[in-house]
């Protein structure tokens, strides 16, 4: 019997060299700090071996991880970033044109000889956010693409959109803070110009920008926190923002939209990112807050996080609560009369009986004893009388492990 037997794998030396080429590219990026001509050598290497990326199994993922990890090294290397994107994805242009991944404006930039002539605009950012937002609805921008999802790099259009938009943001010839700031400005402009009864596609855009920011390096997220601090500092709130019935209506309200975006960003972030929140509060937020409205707006920002943080990292709940009491002590010194005292006290009692129990009881009692008499009267059961509440027993037991 002379039957032909096929091996269980098919390959050649070129295909086996692709993982090696990936490592060589990363190593040459690292050498740019030591060798002045490393960037030119890398461009020359890509010019000769870039056609191999036609057979790369995960080109977009590889580009994303490369541009994300080496973001600081490549921050001022606009030409090299353009070369990486155009070479790796351009090698597959026979099957997937660059327009499959990127916007029309960015495709023109990649195909042009000018490496610094690209100007990022609010309209371009709006197109990027809309591309992501459509993936969270029934309308998909990739539903007419002529390729088989079974053999594609990504298994869903939403994941494909997220990675392609992230790569485009990382490859744009601009600083990360500039790109993140324009994305944020594009969304806030849409929120302010949207009527109260017309919130179509607004929540999808908020969620899309939040997911995108969690997928980008830290420099892209800084404008969000800078805008939050600016809002707190300028005390730009409206009385209806503190109403339970209108707190979730973000249309037409810049402060409300910013709150919704920060909530979405924190909910999509990992617990490591949330752990750095207390340091941000101590160093950035605490020196700003002096009024009652600022304090209530801050509580609206961090309040929805307690349930998740209590489940994943209980010790962080204690740190957040102590920061809230520290801020309460500050505004108590600057505001002899509080018009929302009942609202603030209700929140503190809810946090105690839902998450804290008797943890840090002595420290809380010291802070409460220094507050004005009206607040002391309302908060008299927080520390000394907490054991009289029927819910305090099992809460103190469940939270006792946090202090160990």
């Amino acid at each position: 019997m002379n039957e032909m037997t096929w091996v269980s794998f098919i390959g050649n030396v070129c295909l086996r060299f692709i993982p090696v080429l990936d490592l060589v590219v990363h190593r040459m990026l690292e050498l740019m700090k030591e060798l002045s001509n490393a960037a030119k050598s890398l461009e020359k290497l890509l010019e000769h071996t870039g056609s191999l990326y036609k057979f790369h199994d995960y080109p977009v993922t590889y580009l994303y991880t490369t541009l994300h990890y080496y973001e600081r090294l490549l921050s001022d290397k606009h030409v090299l970033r353009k070369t990486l994107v155009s070479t790796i994805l351009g090698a597959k242009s026979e099957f997937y044109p660059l327009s499959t991944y990127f916007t029309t404006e960015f495709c023109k930039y990649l195909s042009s000889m000018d490496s610094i002539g690209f100007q990022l605009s609010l309209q371009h950012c709006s197109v990027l956010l809309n591309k992501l937002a459509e993936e969270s609805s029934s309308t998909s921008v990739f539903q007419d693409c002529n390729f088989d999802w079974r053999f594609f790099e990504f298994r869903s259009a939403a994941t494909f959109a997220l990675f392609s938009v992230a790569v485009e943001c990382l490859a744009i010839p601009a600083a990360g803070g500039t790109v993140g700031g324009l994305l944020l400005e594009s969304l806030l402009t849409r929120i302010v110009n949207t009527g109260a009864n017309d919130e179509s596609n607004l929540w999808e855009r908020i969620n899309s920008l939040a997911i995108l920011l969690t997928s980008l390096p830290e420099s892209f997220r800084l404008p969000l926190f800078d805008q939050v601090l600016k809002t707190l500092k300028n005390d730009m709130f409206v009385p209806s923002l503190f109403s339970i019935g209108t707190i979730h209506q973000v249309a037409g309200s810049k402060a409300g939209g910013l709150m919704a975006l920060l909530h979405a960003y924190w909910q999509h972030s990992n617990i490591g990112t949330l752990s750095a929140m207390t340091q941000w509060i101590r160093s950035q937020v605490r020196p700003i807050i002096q009024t009652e409205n600022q304090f209530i707006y801050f509580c609206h920002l961090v309040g929805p996080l307690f349930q998740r943080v209590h489940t994943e990292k209980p010790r962080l709940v204690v740190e957040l609560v102590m920061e809230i009491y520290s801020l309460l002590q500050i505004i108590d010194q600057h505001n002899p009369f509080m018009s929302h005292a009942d609202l603030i006290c209700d929140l503190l009692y809810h946090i105690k009986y839902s998450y804290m129990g008797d943890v840090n009881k002595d420290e809380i009692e010291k802070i409460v004893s220094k507050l004005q008499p009206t607040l002391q009267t309302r908060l008299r059961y927080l520390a000394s009388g907490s054991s009289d509440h029927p819910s305090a027993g099992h809460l103190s037991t469940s939270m006792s492990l946090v202090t160990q």
Side-chain angles (χ1 to χ4, degrees):
M1 298 179 62
N2 295 324
E3 295 182 359
M4 182 178 295
T5 302
W6 292 93
V7 295
S8 60
F9 61 89
I10 299 176
N12 55 46
V13 66
C14 293
L15 295 181
R16 293 195 294 270
F17 183 71
I18 292 178
V20 180
L21 181 60
D22 290 345
L23 296 176
V24 171
V25 170
H26 287 174
R27 182 54 181 158
M28 295 189 72
L29 289 175
E30 295 169 358
L31 289 175
M32 288 194 304
K33 296 185 296 184
E34 305 173 3
L35 302 177
S36 58
N37 61 341
K40 290 294 183 180
S41 301
L42 178 56
E43 292 178 11
K44 186 64 67 174
L45 174 66
L46 292 174
E47 181 181 348
H48 288 85
T49 62
S51 57
L52 287 177
Y53 284 102
K54 178 180 181 180
F55 308 101
H56 201 290
D57 292 330
Y58 307 100
V60 180
T61 304
Y62 173 71
L63 261 180
Y64 168 75
T65 54
T66 301
L67 296 176
H68 189 291
Y69 185 81
Y70 297 104
E71 185 259 342
R72 294 185 180 180
L73 289 176
L74 296 172
S75 59
D76 58 342
K77 302 293 190 299
H78 303 321
V79 178
L80 183 55
R81 282 187 289 174
K82 177 182 177 181
T83 303
L84 284 169
V85 175
S86 59
T87 300
I88 295 176
L89 295 184
K92 287 182 172 288
S93 59
E94 179 182 351
F95 309 103
Y96 310 113
L98 291 176
S99 58
T100 306
Y101 308 97
F102 306 124
T103 59
T104 304
E105 293 79 3
F106 192 69
C107 289
K108 292 179 180 179
Y109 163 71
L110 292 177
S111 59
S112 66
M113 300 299 296
D114 189 1
S115 299
I116 58 175
F118 183 84
Q119 295 293 330
L120 184 62
S121 63
L122 291 178
Q123 178 62 27
H124 188 183
C125 294
S126 179
V127 172
L128 290 176
L129 292 181
N130 189 63
K131 181 179 179 180
L132 280 178
E134 288 182 352
E135 295 311 315
S136 60
S137 61
S138 58
T139 304
S140 174
V141 296
F142 297 114
Q143 61 183 357
D144 296 327
C145 291
N146 188 23
F147 52 79
D148 195 335
W149 286 100
R150 296 175 301 169
F151 308 105
F152 194 57
E153 179 178 358
F154 301 100
R155 295 296 177 260
S156 68
T159 307
F160 180 31
L162 176 60
F163 273 79
S164 59
V165 171
V167 169
E168 182 168 344
C169 291
L170 289 166
I172 287 175
T178 302
V179 178
L182 286 175
L183 287 170
L184 178 61
E185 184 179 353
S186 173
L187 177 63
L188 293 180
T189 301
R190 173 68 181 271
I191 291 174
V192 172
N193 296 332
T194 301
N197 297 323
D198 183 21
E199 296 187 358
S200 59
N201 207 30
L202 189 59
W203 288 104
E204 288 82 0
R205 284 173 172 262
I206 293 174
N207 189 58
S208 299
L209 180 55
I211 296 177
L212 181 60
L213 291 178
T214 58
S215 304
L216 293 173
E218 183 180 3
S219 59
F220 290 80
R221 314 167 194 170
L222 293 180
L224 171 61
F225 292 96
D226 291 341
Q227 188 63 43
V228 171
L229 295 175
K230 182 180 178 181
T231 304
L232 282 171
K233 187 175 181 179
N234 295 338
D235 203 357
M236 299 183 300
F237 316 116
V238 291
S240 61
L241 186 62
F242 304 138
S243 173
I244 299 299
T246 60
I247 189 63
H248 298 293
Q249 296 179 4
V250 302
S253 171
K254 185 175 181 180
L258 195 62
M259 180 193 303
L261 176 60
L262 191 62
H263 286 167
Y265 168 77
W266 274 335
Q267 293 296 345
H268 287 297
S269 299
N270 54 38
I271 194 63
T273 301
L274 295 180
S275 299
M277 183 170 48
T278 53
Q279 179 60 35
W280 174 71
I281 295 173
R282 294 190 193 102
S283 60
Q284 303 292 330
V285 176
R286 186 184 294 181
I288 294 177
I289 293 186
Q290 293 184 349
T291 67
E292 184 181 8
N293 285 349
Q294 289 176 320
F295 178 75
I296 294 178
Y297 184 76
F298 169 77
C299 291
H300 275 303
L301 291 177
V302 301
L305 291 175
F306 279 105
Q307 183 62 50
R308 178 190 172 187
V309 174
H310 178 259
T311 303
E312 299 183 22
K313 194 173 182 180
R315 184 62 197 175
L316 185 57
V317 174
V318 179
E319 297 177 3
L320 285 176
V321 171
M322 296 312 299
E323 290 299 324
I324 290 178
Y325 278 102
S326 299
L327 295 175
L328 177 61
Q329 189 175 8
I330 293 175
I331 67 168
D332 178 71
Q333 297 172 355
H334 292 85
N335 302 271
F337 174 77
M338 295 188 185
S339 56
H340 298 91
D342 290 335
L343 180 64
I344 294 174
C345 294
D346 287 345
L347 173 64
L348 296 179
Y349 275 113
H350 169 73
I351 292 175
K352 173 182 175 55
Y353 293 125
S354 297
Y355 307 110
M356 285 285 289
D358 287 337
V359 177
N360 284 22
K361 174 181 176 181
D362 296 336
E363 297 182 25
I364 294 176
E365 187 173 10
K366 290 179 182 178
I367 295 177
V368 172
S369 63
K370 298 177 182 179
L371 302 177
Q372 54 186 265
T374 55
L375 287 177
Q376 289 188 33
T377 302
R378 288 177 170 88
L379 299 175
R380 62 185 181 274
Y381 297 114
L382 273 180
S384 59
S386 60
S387 60
D388 298 334
H389 195 279
S391 302
H394 75 276
L395 280 170
S396 59
T397 302
S398 62
M399 290 294 294
S400 61
L401 296 176
V402 176
T403 57
Q404 294 181 359

